[in-house]
Short mmCIF file of all heavy atoms in Angstrom, two decimals:
data_model
loop_
_atom_site.label_atom_id
_atom_site.label_comp_id
_atom_site.label_asym_id
_atom_site.label_seq_id
_atom_site.Cartn_x
_atom_site.Cartn_y
_atom_site.Cartn_z
N GLN A 153 45.81 -6.22 -44.80
CA GLN A 153 46.89 -5.65 -45.61
C GLN A 153 46.85 -4.13 -45.61
O GLN A 153 45.75 -3.54 -45.83
CB GLN A 153 46.76 -6.16 -47.05
CG GLN A 153 46.88 -7.67 -47.21
CD GLN A 153 48.26 -8.18 -46.72
OE1 GLN A 153 49.26 -7.62 -47.03
NE2 GLN A 153 48.21 -9.25 -45.94
N PRO A 154 47.98 -3.47 -45.34
CA PRO A 154 48.02 -1.98 -45.47
C PRO A 154 47.55 -1.55 -46.82
O PRO A 154 47.87 -2.16 -47.87
CB PRO A 154 49.48 -1.68 -45.22
CG PRO A 154 50.01 -2.79 -44.41
CD PRO A 154 49.24 -3.99 -44.93
N GLY A 155 46.74 -0.48 -46.85
CA GLY A 155 46.18 0.03 -48.11
C GLY A 155 44.81 -0.50 -48.37
O GLY A 155 44.07 0.16 -49.17
N ASN A 156 44.42 -1.60 -47.85
CA ASN A 156 43.08 -2.15 -48.03
C ASN A 156 42.06 -1.45 -47.13
O ASN A 156 42.42 -1.01 -46.07
CB ASN A 156 43.01 -3.67 -47.78
CG ASN A 156 43.72 -4.45 -48.88
OD1 ASN A 156 44.12 -3.88 -49.91
ND2 ASN A 156 43.82 -5.75 -48.70
N ILE A 157 40.80 -1.47 -47.63
CA ILE A 157 39.74 -0.77 -46.89
C ILE A 157 38.83 -1.82 -46.26
O ILE A 157 38.49 -2.79 -46.90
CB ILE A 157 38.91 0.15 -47.82
CG1 ILE A 157 39.82 1.17 -48.48
CG2 ILE A 157 37.81 0.83 -46.99
CD1 ILE A 157 39.11 1.97 -49.53
N TYR A 158 38.46 -1.61 -44.97
CA TYR A 158 37.67 -2.47 -44.23
C TYR A 158 36.52 -1.73 -43.60
O TYR A 158 36.51 -0.48 -43.62
CB TYR A 158 38.51 -3.16 -43.12
CG TYR A 158 39.65 -3.91 -43.62
CD1 TYR A 158 40.87 -3.34 -43.91
CD2 TYR A 158 39.52 -5.33 -43.88
CE1 TYR A 158 41.92 -4.08 -44.42
CE2 TYR A 158 40.60 -6.05 -44.38
CZ TYR A 158 41.78 -5.42 -44.66
OH TYR A 158 42.87 -6.12 -45.14
N ALA A 159 35.55 -2.44 -42.99
CA ALA A 159 34.56 -1.78 -42.15
C ALA A 159 35.00 -1.94 -40.75
O ALA A 159 35.63 -2.93 -40.40
CB ALA A 159 33.18 -2.46 -42.38
N SER A 160 34.72 -0.94 -39.96
CA SER A 160 35.05 -1.02 -38.51
C SER A 160 33.97 -0.36 -37.72
O SER A 160 33.36 0.66 -38.16
CB SER A 160 36.40 -0.46 -38.22
OG SER A 160 36.37 0.97 -38.34
N LYS A 161 33.71 -0.93 -36.56
CA LYS A 161 32.69 -0.37 -35.66
C LYS A 161 33.36 0.61 -34.76
O LYS A 161 34.32 0.25 -33.98
CB LYS A 161 32.00 -1.44 -34.88
CG LYS A 161 30.71 -1.03 -34.22
CD LYS A 161 29.88 -2.17 -33.76
CE LYS A 161 28.51 -1.76 -33.37
NZ LYS A 161 27.71 -2.88 -32.98
N HIS A 162 32.89 1.82 -34.73
CA HIS A 162 33.47 2.91 -33.94
C HIS A 162 32.80 2.86 -32.53
O HIS A 162 31.74 2.21 -32.36
CB HIS A 162 33.14 4.23 -34.63
CG HIS A 162 33.89 5.43 -34.07
ND1 HIS A 162 33.36 6.16 -33.03
CD2 HIS A 162 35.10 5.94 -34.38
CE1 HIS A 162 34.22 7.18 -32.74
NE2 HIS A 162 35.27 7.03 -33.52
N LYS A 163 33.41 3.56 -31.58
CA LYS A 163 32.86 3.56 -30.21
C LYS A 163 31.50 4.20 -30.19
O LYS A 163 30.73 3.96 -29.20
CB LYS A 163 33.81 4.24 -29.27
CG LYS A 163 34.10 5.68 -29.54
CD LYS A 163 35.13 6.24 -28.60
CE LYS A 163 35.58 7.61 -29.04
NZ LYS A 163 36.66 8.10 -28.27
N ASP A 164 31.07 4.96 -31.25
CA ASP A 164 29.74 5.50 -31.30
C ASP A 164 28.71 4.45 -31.73
O ASP A 164 27.51 4.75 -31.87
CB ASP A 164 29.68 6.75 -32.20
CG ASP A 164 29.92 6.49 -33.66
OD1 ASP A 164 30.08 5.29 -34.06
OD2 ASP A 164 29.99 7.41 -34.44
N GLY A 165 29.17 3.23 -32.03
CA GLY A 165 28.26 2.14 -32.40
C GLY A 165 27.97 2.07 -33.90
O GLY A 165 27.24 1.20 -34.36
N LYS A 166 28.52 3.01 -34.67
CA LYS A 166 28.31 3.02 -36.14
C LYS A 166 29.46 2.42 -36.84
O LYS A 166 30.58 2.37 -36.36
CB LYS A 166 28.06 4.41 -36.61
CG LYS A 166 26.81 5.05 -36.02
CD LYS A 166 26.51 6.33 -36.70
CE LYS A 166 25.36 6.98 -35.96
NZ LYS A 166 24.20 7.21 -36.62
N TRP A 167 29.19 1.92 -38.06
CA TRP A 167 30.22 1.34 -38.93
C TRP A 167 30.75 2.40 -39.88
O TRP A 167 30.01 3.20 -40.41
CB TRP A 167 29.63 0.21 -39.73
CG TRP A 167 29.30 -0.99 -38.86
CD1 TRP A 167 28.07 -1.25 -38.28
CD2 TRP A 167 30.13 -2.03 -38.51
NE1 TRP A 167 28.13 -2.41 -37.54
CE2 TRP A 167 29.41 -2.91 -37.68
CE3 TRP A 167 31.49 -2.34 -38.77
CZ2 TRP A 167 29.94 -4.07 -37.11
CZ3 TRP A 167 31.98 -3.49 -38.23
CH2 TRP A 167 31.22 -4.33 -37.42
N TYR A 168 32.06 2.33 -40.10
CA TYR A 168 32.75 3.29 -40.95
C TYR A 168 33.76 2.55 -41.86
O TYR A 168 34.26 1.52 -41.50
CB TYR A 168 33.50 4.35 -40.16
CG TYR A 168 32.58 5.19 -39.32
CD1 TYR A 168 32.38 4.95 -37.97
CD2 TYR A 168 31.87 6.23 -39.89
CE1 TYR A 168 31.53 5.70 -37.23
CE2 TYR A 168 31.02 7.03 -39.15
CZ TYR A 168 30.85 6.73 -37.79
OH TYR A 168 29.96 7.49 -37.04
N ARG A 169 34.03 3.13 -43.01
CA ARG A 169 35.08 2.63 -43.84
C ARG A 169 36.42 3.10 -43.30
O ARG A 169 36.63 4.26 -43.06
CB ARG A 169 34.90 3.15 -45.33
CG ARG A 169 33.67 2.62 -45.98
CD ARG A 169 33.57 2.96 -47.47
NE ARG A 169 33.99 4.31 -47.75
CZ ARG A 169 34.39 4.71 -48.99
NH1 ARG A 169 34.41 3.86 -49.94
NH2 ARG A 169 34.70 5.96 -49.21
N THR A 170 37.36 2.10 -43.13
CA THR A 170 38.67 2.44 -42.61
C THR A 170 39.72 1.82 -43.51
O THR A 170 39.64 0.63 -43.86
CB THR A 170 38.83 1.92 -41.16
OG1 THR A 170 38.41 0.57 -41.14
CG2 THR A 170 37.97 2.69 -40.22
N SER A 171 40.74 2.57 -43.80
CA SER A 171 41.90 2.11 -44.59
C SER A 171 43.01 1.75 -43.60
O SER A 171 43.32 2.52 -42.73
CB SER A 171 42.33 3.21 -45.51
OG SER A 171 43.49 2.87 -46.17
N VAL A 172 43.54 0.55 -43.78
CA VAL A 172 44.63 0.11 -42.90
C VAL A 172 45.89 0.81 -43.32
O VAL A 172 46.29 0.75 -44.49
CB VAL A 172 44.76 -1.44 -42.87
CG1 VAL A 172 46.08 -1.83 -42.19
CG2 VAL A 172 43.57 -2.05 -42.19
N ILE A 173 46.55 1.43 -42.42
CA ILE A 173 47.80 2.09 -42.63
C ILE A 173 49.01 1.13 -42.31
O ILE A 173 49.89 0.93 -43.06
CB ILE A 173 47.97 3.34 -41.74
CG1 ILE A 173 46.77 4.29 -41.96
CG2 ILE A 173 49.28 4.06 -41.98
CD1 ILE A 173 46.66 4.81 -43.42
N LYS A 174 48.94 0.53 -41.09
CA LYS A 174 50.04 -0.35 -40.69
C LYS A 174 49.48 -1.38 -39.68
O LYS A 174 48.71 -1.01 -38.79
CB LYS A 174 51.14 0.47 -40.03
CG LYS A 174 52.33 -0.39 -39.66
CD LYS A 174 53.47 0.57 -39.15
CE LYS A 174 54.67 -0.30 -38.87
NZ LYS A 174 55.81 0.49 -38.39
N VAL A 175 49.91 -2.62 -39.84
CA VAL A 175 49.59 -3.67 -38.87
C VAL A 175 50.76 -3.77 -37.93
O VAL A 175 51.85 -4.18 -38.27
CB VAL A 175 49.33 -5.02 -39.55
CG1 VAL A 175 49.06 -6.07 -38.53
CG2 VAL A 175 48.19 -4.89 -40.58
N ILE A 176 50.53 -3.41 -36.66
CA ILE A 176 51.60 -3.45 -35.63
C ILE A 176 51.53 -4.84 -34.99
O ILE A 176 52.56 -5.50 -34.91
CB ILE A 176 51.40 -2.33 -34.66
CG1 ILE A 176 51.47 -0.95 -35.40
CG2 ILE A 176 52.43 -2.40 -33.52
CD1 ILE A 176 50.97 0.21 -34.67
#
């Protein structure tokens, strides 16, 4: 859902908090 925050693995191998803006 847009506006919700998730964890995502970046290409550097680390996890970051990411907020979804739009689901295409």
Side-chain angles (χ1 to χ4, degrees):
Q153 299 299 317
N156 287 354
I157 303 173
Y158 300 85
S160 69
K161 195 167 193 177
H162 192 269
K163 61 184 172 188
D164 67 4
K166 296 190 188 240
W167 290 92
Y168 297 99
R169 296 189 315 159
T170 50
S171 173
V172 169
I173 304 300
K174 184 175 184 179
V175 177
I176 300 162

